[in-house]
Amino acid sequence: MALVHLVGSRGAADVLVCEVPSRAAADLLVCKVDSRNPARGNDGLWCFVDSRAAASSLVHIITSRGAADLLVCYVDSRAASGWRRDHPLKGRL
C-alpha cells in the first residue's frame, strides 16, 4: 500500500527516499494520486496523507542516492508507474 506520510527525520522513517530526475536511474516510477483507494496495494501510486496513523509508509526524503533505500522518479501517468527492477521493498510500501 502506498499511503505515504512524510516525516522530518531519518530516525522516524520506514524508508529513505531519494528523488531522481531520470526514469532510468529510478527503482520505482511514482504517480501521485489524490485518492487513497487507487493507492492501496499499488506501490507505484502514492497518496500523501497527513496522519501517521493512516500511512502505510513513513518516508523521509534525502538527497544522497547512496544512502537511500529507494530511488523514485515521479511520472504523470498511472500507466507509467511501477517498479523498474526487483527490489527488497516491492510490495512493502
Side-chain angles (χ1 to χ4, degrees), residues 4-75:
V4 176
H5 178 74
L6 295 176
V7 295
S9 71
R10 288 175 170 232
D14 297 326
V15 183
L16 299 177
V17 171
C18 180
E19 299 168 344
V20 295
S22 164
R23 289 182 181 204
D27 299 316
L28 180 63
L29 301 178
V30 172
C31 180
K32 297 177 187 177
V33 295
D34 293 328
S35 173
R36 293 180 184 195
N37 288 336
R40 292 184 193 276
N42 188 331
D43 291 340
L45 300 179
W46 285 15
C47 178
F48 290 91
V49 295
D50 294 329
S51 167
R52 290 174 67 106
S56 59
S57 295
L58 302 177
V59 169
H60 181 68
I61 305 296
I62 61 173
T63 57
S64 170
R65 288 185 186 191
D69 299 319
L70 183 63
L71 303 177
V72 302
C73 178
Y74 294 107
V75 295

Side-chain angles (χ1 to χ4, degrees), residues 71-88:
L71 303 177
V72 302
C73 178
Y74 294 107
V75 295
D76 294 327
S77 165
R78 290 182 186 191
S81 68
W83 292 98
R84 294 202 62 253
R85 56 185 63 91
D86 276 338
H87 195 281

